[in-house]
Amino acid sequence: MIKINFEDFTRMLERIENTNSQNEMASILSSLFKDISTEEIDKVCYLALGRIAPQYEDIVLGLSEKTAQAAISLASGSSKSEVKEETRDIGDIGEVASKMIKNRENPFKDYFDYTGELSVKNIFDGLRKIASTSGKGSQEIKTKTLASMLIEADDIGRKYIARLAEGTMRLGVGDITILNALSVAFFGSKLRKTELEHAYNISSDIGLVAKVLQTDGIKGVNELKITLNRPIKSMLAQRVSNFEDIKNKIKSRDISAEEKFDGERIQVHKDGENVKLYSRRLTDVTSQFPDLVENIRKYVKVKRVILDGEAMAYDFENDLFGSFQILMRRRRKYDVKEYRKKIPIRYMLFDVLYVDGESFLNRNYPERRDKLETLVEESKYIALANRRVSSDLDAIDEFFQECITKNLEGIVCKSCAKDSYYRAGGRDWTWIKWKKEYISKLSDTLDLAIIGAYAGRGRRSGTYGALLCAAYNYAEDTFETVSKLGTGFSDEQLANMPEELADARIDKIPARAVVTKEMEPDFWFTPKYVVEVLGSEITRSPVHTCNWKEEQKQGLALRFPRFIRWREEKSPEQATTTEEIVQMYKGQ
Ligand code: ATP
């Protein structure tokens, strides 16, 4: 196994940056994975994704532009205002670093110390140092360490170090691209991706999967166990267009209809007194909900457990659930104490995934639910989702009506079959959602990734006139356009849009995006922001690439799209999939 030097690594990053094809990206990465050292394989995975740790670890880069500029100023010997000016002209901090810094004696050598050739590991460790330094004097350490790293690298290396430090890597590599690359590197084809993906779904750590694959082979990967403080990808629900289809799709005689909450999905990991909370995006949100942490300690009666549920804003005086929008005000780093009082929450539990060293993923739903009932002392702060179990659809419908009068979103119907396992990261027919929108004849909403924007004209000049929105094609690992969205925004939302989306702006079509000539926008965005859109129907389209059929030269499009809200808690890969859109199209 060879250690790869940083220079070779950055040449490869450049090749990835210059391609739009996910297959080519996977092939470039796989050639690298073939003979890389165990010490570096995980680091390469993280860095290619623009990170320095798995998503769930609270170690993130993302230095402010000002700090990155200060480091470039130190490294280049230019003044801060010169660097600022270059950034204004060029836009990309990586290009600025590459242009302004020249090889020279390094006055900050002590801050970034290494021997021999500059390696991936050296750079990774330097970046980790920058991210984890805190407290008094930390700003100086961060800037000087970064300056030192920039001096030591070459032009191309500087470009990527600066982008990584600022958190603007945007190579376009996704988790699935890496899993494909690992499969190709170790088995010659993408065929083993499913096993790798399963390991990833239960560990949420792509670096770990890569490392285990390299040291212990596929057997080791298949034996990976779920562990406390490593989130598990959430199981998701399918949808149907007709209520009666619930009965056809769910294979068990009995159906368990549970209340459906429109709050924030939170996975709880309790290890004695130590409690961690993870969001749907697998980020650590523990510090946002200190009240939930206390209540878990108080009301969950088992020592080590992983629970799945939804946090809801709650009006305790009037005994009413609050809306998703109210809950979103709790998403904050500051004033947590104040908002804890202003917007109290109630945690509604619906699943258990692990109890005292034992995985519950392969236990069926009735067993999991029975277990869950023994684990929690219900209180006004924590309760189990109410449910009705029946084989009669009328009874299920009655329960649904009760739920919507309680101002809930609807129900989730769950199979009680022997094999109704918890499918981490899967969208399975053992869970089917049925919402109040469906009966009011409005179609369900779509969550779409923004990949472009069109310049506004007339009243909208100076901002965007419409956004180009894409579904995620999971099978191909691509983003396919389905909608040009220009309706439903308030004037204020419109005016703020260029600034709000600015950090996703790029100057060419994002990697993995598929766009026809006709739909080419004026501005491109790397898939980062997800928007919820309501439409009237799905139709065939000669200009949108969703589920594209080359012979007919046709894809699918959403007619009369209307903006509903931003979905901050969703990553672009969690957008509505092409497969779901095809189902919606067929079900109309
Ligand atoms: P999806 O999660 O399907 O991608 P979404 O985030 O837009 O889409 P919905 O379509 O409204 O959410 O419904 C699924 C979500 O409902 C789940 O991800 C979960 O967060 C939430 N949910 C609420 N109550 C329950 C419940 N009782 N069982 C399972 N999920 C529930």
Side-chain angles (χ1 to χ4, degrees):
M1 297 296 158
I2 52 159
K3 274 199 173 173
I4 58 163
N5 70 45
F6 189 62
E7 202 177 305
D8 292 344
F9 179 58
T10 54
R11 298 310 180 272
M12 188 203 69
L13 294 181
E14 225 175 24
R15 281 174 57 209
I16 292 180
E17 196 182 340
N18 290 330
T19 176
N20 186 37
S21 143
Q22 91 84 29
N23 273 338
E24 204 176 324
M25 280 181 180
S27 129
I28 299 169
L29 280 167
S30 77
S31 62
L32 178 75
F33 287 147
K34 275 187 190 134
D35 44 20
I36 190 175
S37 76
T38 314
E39 208 185 352
E40 286 178 323
I41 192 164
D42 51 344
K43 298 175 180 67
V44 164
C45 294
Y46 301 135
L47 293 177
L49 290 165
R51 297 193 209 127
I52 47 165
Q55 180 95 12
Y56 63 82
E57 270 187 37
D58 217 1
I59 307 170
V60 272
L61 279 162
L63 293 182
S64 67
E65 190 172 74
K66 210 167 148 206
T67 309
Q69 285 175 355
I72 295 175
S73 152
L74 287 180
S76 62
S78 320
S79 70
K80 283 186 185 163
S81 57
E82 281 168 314
V83 181
K84 205 169 159 189
E85 210 162 290
E86 282 289 349
T87 317
R88 209 171 33 228
D89 289 349
I90 301 178
D92 168 28
I93 200 78
E95 299 288 351
V96 175
S98 169
K99 181 174 168 197
M100 298 189 79
I101 304 166
K102 300 280 171 267
N103 293 346
R104 56 180 280 217
E105 191 57 40
N106 186 354
F108 313 109
K109 212 155 180 38
D110 291 349
Y111 286 86
F112 174 61
D113 203 12
Y114 71 97
T115 46
E117 252 181 2
L118 198 55
S119 68
V120 167
K121 183 175 181 305
N122 300 147
I123 293 297
F124 188 85
D125 291 345
L127 292 168
R128 291 273 292 211
K129 176 182 164 195
I130 293 174
S132 55
T133 307
S134 63
K136 207 167 156 256
S138 62
Q139 202 57 21
E140 187 185 342
I141 299 175
K142 282 175 197 278
T143 31
K144 290 192 173 160
T145 308
L146 180 56
S148 180
M149 289 166 69
L150 289 167
I151 295 173
E152 295 298 320
D154 66 2
D155 280 0
I156 298 174
R158 285 171 190 140
K159 179 167 81 176
Y160 293 109
I161 292 172
R163 287 184 190 165
L164 278 162
E166 210 195 53
T168 52
M169 184 74 155
R170 294 188 205 128
L171 270 193
V173 171
D175 302 342
I176 299 290
T177 326
I178 294 199
L179 294 173
N180 278 329
L182 287 169
S183 180
V184 173
F186 288 85
F187 309 105
S189 81
K190 288 184 188 169
L191 282 178
R192 303 304 280 263
K193 188 195 96 187
T194 325
E195 287 154 273
L196 300 174
E197 191 175 8
H198 174 71
Y200 179 48
N201 284 341
I202 62 166
S203 67
S204 303
D205 185 346
I206 209 144
L208 175 80
V209 175
K211 209 172 186 137
V212 171
L213 178 64
Q214 201 192 46
T215 47
D216 303 326
I218 197 71
K219 190 162 175 282
V221 169
N222 288 330
E223 282 169 0
L224 257 181
K225 300 232 173 336
I226 59 176
T227 308
L228 280 169
N229 302 334
R230 264 197 332 230
I232 297 162
K233 283 231 183 129
S234 297
M235 175 165 173
L236 304 171
Q238 282 283 12
R239 71 182 107 207
V240 285
S241 332
N242 299 309
F243 190 64
E244 290 69 34
D245 285 344
I246 295 175
K247 189 95 190 128
N248 305 331
K249 293 282 185 187
I250 287 191
K251 296 287 174 244
S252 61
R253 198 180 76 94
D254 279 343
I255 294 172
S256 168
E258 290 186 355
E259 291 170 325
K260 180 176 194 312
F261 308 98
D262 185 20
E264 179 165 7
R265 183 94 176 245
I266 302 249
Q267 198 177 98
V268 170
H269 288 230
K270 177 178 183 288
D271 187 1
E273 287 299 287
N274 183 13
V275 175
K276 290 230 175 256
L277 310 176
Y278 299 101
S279 74
R280 163 96 188 254
R281 285 188 85 152
L282 309 173
T283 52
D284 185 339
V285 290
T286 314
S287 59
Q288 279 173 37
F289 299 108
D291 39 350
L292 178 53
V293 171
E294 280 166 26
N295 289 324
I296 294 286
R297 285 191 194 125
K298 206 161 157 190
Y299 298 109
V300 177
K301 294 180 291 185
V302 61
K303 204 166 170 203
R304 296 160 73 219
V305 71
I306 302 179
L307 301 167
D308 196 1
E310 195 98 352
M312 296 285 288
Y314 203 75
D315 172 352
F316 285 98
E317 247 166 56
N318 299 304
D319 240 347
L320 278 177
F321 286 112
S323 69
F324 175 81
Q325 279 74 9
I326 295 179
L327 180 74
M328 280 302 105
R329 292 166 56 202
R330 290 275 316 244
R331 284 187 156 252
R332 49 179 62 247
K333 277 208 178 115
Y334 308 102
D335 306 327
V336 171
K337 256 191 185 161
E338 185 192 334
Y339 275 80
R340 164 189 179 157
K341 278 211 187 99
K342 267 193 195 162
I343 305 170
I345 58 160
R346 186 162 198 224
Y347 184 53
M348 303 305 298
L349 275 163
F350 50 77
D351 227 316
V352 54
L353 316 184
Y354 169 98
V355 185
D356 281 337
E358 206 185 323
S359 167
F360 268 62
L361 298 185
N362 283 338
R363 303 282 191 101
N364 60 43
Y365 164 77
E367 276 183 77
R368 298 201 308 277
R369 173 77 197 202
D370 286 351
K371 185 72 183 179
L372 185 61
E373 286 174 13
T374 67
L375 300 176
V376 183
E377 183 189 329
E378 292 198 67
S379 76
K380 60 181 189 172
Y381 300 111
I382 297 187
L384 265 64
N386 287 309
R387 63 175 187 156
R388 178 151 326 151
V389 183
S390 174
S391 58
D392 174 15
L393 262 196
D394 290 340
I396 302 284
D397 188 33
E398 195 182 272
F399 182 69
F400 169 70
Q401 303 296 340
E402 281 168 32
C403 288
I404 53 178
T405 41
K406 277 197 286 186
N407 219 9
L408 292 171
E409 226 193 352
I411 52 175
V412 181
C413 293
K414 300 187 174 176
S415 160
C416 297
K418 279 203 184 98
D419 58 354
S420 51
Y421 308 132
Y422 190 94
R423 283 260 327 274
R427 194 182 287 284
D428 206 88
W429 288 110
T430 47
W431 283 16
I432 300 178
K433 52 193 176 188
W434 185 253
K435 300 198 235 177
K436 57 186 167 209
E437 287 99 316
Y438 302 179
I439 47 160
S440 58
K441 293 284 175 245
L442 294 175
S443 45
D444 195 9
T445 55
L446 276 68
D447 297 325
L448 301 173
I450 312 277
I451 61 164
Y454 304 88
R457 283 177 241 295
R459 215 164 60 87
R460 293 190 181 178
S461 69
T463 179
Y464 302 137
L467 300 174
L468 181 61
C469 306
Y472 178 56
N473 185 329
Y474 167 78
E476 300 290 332
D477 188 21
T478 51
F479 289 92
E480 300 176 338
T481 74
V482 67
S483 169
K484 181 174 172 180
L485 174 68
T487 324
F489 302 106
S490 68
D491 287 348
E492 197 189 339
Q493 278 164 337
L494 270 175
N496 294 340
M497 220 180 272
E499 201 184 314
E500 272 171 15
L501 302 179
D503 64 337
R505 267 277 294 278
I506 47 177
D507 55 13
K508 60 174 186 164
I509 181 168
R512 295 186 289 149
V514 194
V515 180
T516 59
K517 259 231 124 4
E518 291 83 350
M519 289 314 294
E520 263 182 28
D522 301 309
F523 309 99
W524 291 109
F525 297 107
T526 193
K528 173 170 185 191
Y529 293 102
V530 176
V531 69
E532 184 172 347
V533 186
L534 180 70
S536 64
E537 60 175 331
I538 312 276
T539 54
R540 287 171 192 268
S541 157
V543 291
H544 282 292
T545 55
C546 176
N547 194 44
W548 185 254
K549 297 277 176 263
E550 188 53 32
E551 291 130 57
Q552 292 103 327
K553 298 244 175 300
Q554 262 181 350
L556 293 175
L558 181 68
R559 238 159 90 88
F560 302 126
R562 196 178 170 75
F563 170 84
I564 302 291
R565 63 180 179 189
W566 295 104
R567 297 288 312 248
E568 289 97 345
E569 81 285 16
K570 278 200 163 183
S571 69
E573 277 91 358
Q574 289 169 343
T576 302
T577 59
T578 300
E579 200 188 341
E580 286 178 89
I581 294 176
V582 171
Q583 265 174 32
M584 288 165 104
Y585 174 65
K586 286 184 182 155
Q588 285 175 147

